[in-house]
Amino acid sequence: MSVIENYPALRPSLLLDFANSGRVHPLIQCTRASTATCIGPDGKLRTLAANVPRIHHDLNGKCLGLLIEESRTNVLTYATDMAQGWTKGSAAQWSTTTGFLSSGSHGRVLGLRNFTISPDAASLYNTSVPVTAGARHVFSIYARLLPDSPSNRVIFRVRQSDGNNIYSSPLILTDRWTRYSFALTIGEGITFAAAIFGTPGDTDIVNCEFACGQFEQGEFATTFIPTVNAAVTRAADLLSIDYTLPSIGAVVASIAGLATANTANAYLWTALNPADTGADHAYAFFSGANNRTSWWVNKGGVGQSGGNVTGRPLNVGLSFDAIAKTAALAAGSLIAQDTSRPRDFPVNLSQIRLGRSVVNNGFLGGCLSRLAIYSGQITDAQLKRLTA
């Protein structure tokens, strides 16, 4: 039997392999004070009850892992029934179906035929939604072409309550359901905005379908939040597992489906002492301000900064030795060791929070595909191999 070079002989003492198993480990604790949606293995949208963790897939049914998101509010009403919430021009024709991307019911798809920009009344627009002046917002929507569409080009615009179009972007639609998202900054003094779809030119005609629109405050789109006649807030995913971090070992995390537009800190994991979270904890995170990956340790209330690697890699490993007081951070060939002072790790970290900080912010905004904890010495070469 061949031996893989630099691969540790140790097996993980804890392995949470969400992406390959498609399941949630029975020891995972989940608190979320609302329902929430995700894409199932059939590539369709589904709604899960409050306090149920979400295993998320892409639209092709590939499992991405355990979904972890912050709280968000969809202020776009009738997102689950666009035939009620949107207005079309007289030249376009309605075509609605039920159960879009759904294991249950998520309202009706809005189909448009003879959809064009000329005359202006033929465009598609939603009723104005409340927005926060000066803040970043994201509009997102699912769309696809119908088989007999003469053209595949659509223009998306956002019009503020002062009549100005503050955002305009062309879309090239395909025959596969795709989610499109657009980030924009609302002007000062603006209280409402509307989303408008049209075509690039007077002669362009598009036959297409839209579904599940969302307008939310933030830097990036989150999973769809169904609404009817009022805005709806999805609560944050609070996920954890009771497990004591070893005094010598490593934590290796893999992610997928990360919201790359996130410019804030995003945490992979946090290990803490539930009796005194401020005094003793350790974590690995993506630093939004610097576009880098870092780690941090607190022992007895004394903070110790860690090393950094560039970017937001899909695989990140942190090895540590509380006895020798050493640590290293690796992502494939990248490795960082901060030797300016000892890495004094606490030995009483008995809870691991997934995709969030000690104070329940900095949510991952994506999927934790795999988390493996090793008990025992992991060399730098082995850590790089584990994160390759």
Side-chain angles (χ1 to χ4, degrees):
M1 182 176 179
S2 62
V3 177
I4 302 175
E5 185 179 4
N6 292 324
Y7 203 84
L10 296 172
R11 290 183 178 272
S13 55
L14 175 68
L15 177 60
L16 307 175
D17 196 354
F18 304 108
N20 285 322
S21 69
R23 297 179 179 179
V24 178
H25 194 285
L27 296 181
I28 295 291
Q29 301 169 37
C30 175
T31 299
R32 186 186 60 251
S34 73
T35 61
T37 67
C38 64
I39 302 297
D42 55 0
K44 296 182 178 182
L45 193 70
R46 56 181 56 189
T47 297
L48 298 182
N51 302 324
V52 175
R54 295 180 286 170
I55 295 294
H56 192 51
H57 302 70
D58 64 19
L59 291 172
N60 296 316
K62 178 184 177 182
C63 187
L64 301 178
L66 181 67
L67 181 59
I68 308 166
E69 293 185 303
E70 63 191 68
S71 176
R72 285 288 185 89
T73 299
N74 185 4
V75 297
L76 183 66
T77 57
Y78 293 103
T80 52
D81 195 346
M82 293 185 63
Q84 289 193 57
W86 293 70
T87 301
K88 69 171 182 62
S90 57
Q93 301 171 10
W94 287 134
S95 171
T96 59
T97 58
T98 59
F100 165 69
L101 287 175
S102 177
S103 304
S105 177
H106 286 279
R108 292 187 288 179
V109 172
L110 178 59
L112 287 172
R113 292 186 176 275
N114 302 323
F115 177 48
T116 181
I117 198 172
S118 181
D120 185 62
S123 62
L124 172 71
Y125 60 94
N126 72 298
T127 55
S128 293
V129 296
V131 292
T132 301
R136 293 286 285 173
H137 290 68
V138 181
F139 176 82
S140 56
I141 198 165
Y142 288 91
R144 71 172 177 180
L145 283 178
L146 293 172
D148 58 349
S149 181
S151 177
N152 64 351
R153 298 183 299 168
V154 171
I155 294 290
F156 168 72
R157 292 176 290 156
V158 172
R159 180 172 295 170
Q160 296 184 150
S161 51
D162 60 2
N164 291 323
N165 292 326
I166 61 167
Y167 189 91
S168 179
S169 177
L171 299 181
I172 304 298
L173 303 183
T174 72
D175 59 357
R176 297 181 64 86
W177 283 110
T178 303
R179 196 185 195 198
Y180 301 90
S181 62
F182 316 89
L184 52 119
T185 301
I186 300 297
E188 295 295 338
I190 300 301
T191 55
F192 291 92
I196 303 171
F197 287 93
T199 53
D202 293 353
T203 60
D204 290 307
I205 295 177
V206 178
N207 296 334
C208 59
E209 291 179 315
F210 295 98
C212 301
Q214 183 152 302
F215 210 101
E216 57 190 313
Q217 185 173 333
E219 291 282 349
F220 54 92
T222 64
T223 51
F224 175 61
I225 304 168
T227 67
V228 185
N229 59 353
V232 173
T233 297
R234 180 198 61 240
D237 297 293
L238 304 181
L239 296 150
S240 63
I241 185 169
D242 290 334
Y243 185 85
T244 301
L245 209 63
S247 57
I248 302 174
V251 182
V252 179
S254 301
I255 61 168
L258 187 69
T260 55
N262 187 357
T263 57
N265 289 349
Y267 289 74
L268 301 173
W269 55 268
T270 299
L272 52 88
N273 171 17
D276 193 344
T277 59
D280 299 306
H281 58 252
Y283 53 78
F285 70 108
F286 296 134
S287 176
N290 304 305
N291 188 33
R292 66 189 186 188
T293 303
S294 307
W295 60 271
W296 182 272
V297 172
N298 249 43
K299 183 175 181 181
V302 178
Q304 304 175 60
S305 61
N308 308 294
V309 296
T310 302
R312 295 185 167 205
L314 298 181
N315 302 297
V316 177
L318 173 65
S319 63
F320 50 87
D321 188 331
I323 299 173
K325 298 184 179 180
T326 60
L329 181 75
S333 61
L334 302 174
I335 191 163
Q337 291 180 306
D338 188 348
T339 58
S340 60
R341 56 179 170 169
R343 305 295 100 208
D344 199 3
F345 264 73
V347 293
N348 60 347
L349 306 182
S350 58
Q351 185 185 83
I352 299 174
R353 294 182 178 177
L354 306 177
R356 59 185 167 117
S357 74
V358 172
V359 294
N360 296 335
N361 61 17
F363 288 85
L364 180 61
C367 294
L368 184 63
S369 298
R370 187 177 188 269
L371 185 78
I373 297 179
Y374 294 86
S375 298
Q377 190 71 49
I378 299 294
T379 67
D380 291 350
Q382 290 172 334
L383 190 64
K384 290 193 288 185
R385 178 68 184 83
L386 287 170
T387 57

